Amino acid sequence: MSQNVYDILQERGFIEQCTDEENLRKLFEKERVKFYIGFDATADSLTAGHFLTIMAMMHMQRAGHIPIALLGGGTTMIGDPSAKSDMRKMMTKETIDHNAQCFHKQLSKFLKFDNESALVRNNADWLLSMNYVEMLREIGVHFTVNRMLAAECYKQRWERGLTFFELNYMIMQSFDFYKLYKDDGCKLQMGGNDQWSNIIGGVELIRRKEQGEAYGLTLKLLTTSDGIKMGKTMKGALWLDPEKTSPYEFFQYWRNIEDVKVEECLGLLTFLPMEEVRRLGALQGSEINKAKEILAFEITKTVHGEEEATKSLEAARAIFKNGGISDDMPTVNYTRADIESGKDIITVLSDMKLIKTRSEGRRLINDGGVTLNDDKVTDPSLTLSDKDFNENGIAILRKGKKIVFKIQLN
RNA sequence: GGGCGAAUUCCCGAGUGGCCAAAGGGGGCAGACUGUAAAUCUGCUAGCGAUGCUUUCGAUGGUUCAAAUCCAUCUUCGCCCA
């Protein structure tokens, strides 16, 4: 432990708020600190937003501390009302369990859960069996409603209406921290900055019930320069599951990041040394494209492995630098029979999932957004034929400037 | 429990009998310009076998030649009073 991990996180830009910086730094020097981050099981895959917190966990683990990944099997039954304008749809127990399993599997790619260097817990194990009256007597007495309502994260909901049901989310999350503190000796909770009030709730609960010393630390949220949450694509979230977002798509997302975000993302989402991060972030003009390529490669490498990262990089270079063809670019396979029975261009776009409806396809063609083998498609009823394919049975279809598909004829 | 008000397309938000597939903005997509960036300008933005047809303005039923718009009931939400 040569360098205090607090300095590492701070230098890389992770830290937003901390309950007690001075004593937390001391704690990091004194012992291997057990800390936790909660993941509510709202979908069947983690997203780029989660990845940032996972990076923080990995930095902590590298520094010798012990991450606890807390799956929100219990808290997801309610749903965090923070910064949401509406109540989330209620999810069934089965869906939540399934999602939690998916999370566990994905997290295992980044952290080794061997009960030694990293642990997993699921708050369903203690929250679901909880007795209401007991809970009120043990935990509820330590919370004042006015205090809770003053929390920044409920402000928005305060105007639109917040149910008692959702108000309990904070209490449950606070209890989680208390439980992990008692059972596992967890002394620190980390989370996105929108979790600040929920985290404080736990820190205070531990102090009130146990006179215990616990800390909270929140992390920067990834946003675009407009302040919008980063990691949204036209298809929705940027998933870590390669079945939901292909490694190539994932790579391209980071390759296309805004200039001003490059240095921040390099610090947060890669393990490159900070001198390198600063050097790359300072590149001017079109030079910064080199930095973006490295950024995309490094993140893809961590998430999908070096092999996929290399493939994505090469496919991107082939497509953009040489206007060429690569084995690893997105591909759709057709048989001769498909062509003979007639594949019109809109069906092809639809097969590639580039359009949701045929009308959208027609519009796109009218706008001049579709190119087949370097020729702009002007006729929406155009049907693929043998002459559109080269000697290797390949045709290239573009949507806009950045999306390129290979059509392979077998 | 009583009174009042609201619900519109991806989001915000106009529209109070036909000219409404529904203004405006945001977001998204495409074109121009560029560096696979930002900014800017322009076009598009319910669906379909498309000069037409079908479905959409919380739900159901009704009035009318004609309903997002009027009436009734219901649901949800907000505000005020208890």
Side-chain angles (χ1 to χ4, degrees), chain A residues 42 76-91 156-157 160-169:
Chain A
T42 48
T76 313
M77 299 286 280
I78 290 188
D80 186 2
S82 309
K84 286 197 182 55
S85 50
D86 284 305
M87 195 161 127
R88 195 190 280 147
K89 287 189 288 288
M90 290 245 208
M91 299 174 70
Q156 207 180 356
R157 295 305 304 277
R160 296 192 65 130
L162 178 71
T163 57
F164 177 68
F165 171 71
E166 294 170 288
L167 187 66
N168 281 274
Y169 187 88

Side-chain angles (χ1 to χ4, degrees), chain A residues 1-13:
Chain A
M1 281 188 218
S2 50
Q3 194 184 3
N4 191 310
V5 69
Y6 198 97
D7 289 316
I8 296 175
L9 292 178
Q10 194 161 51
E11 188 183 23
R12 302 199 73 99

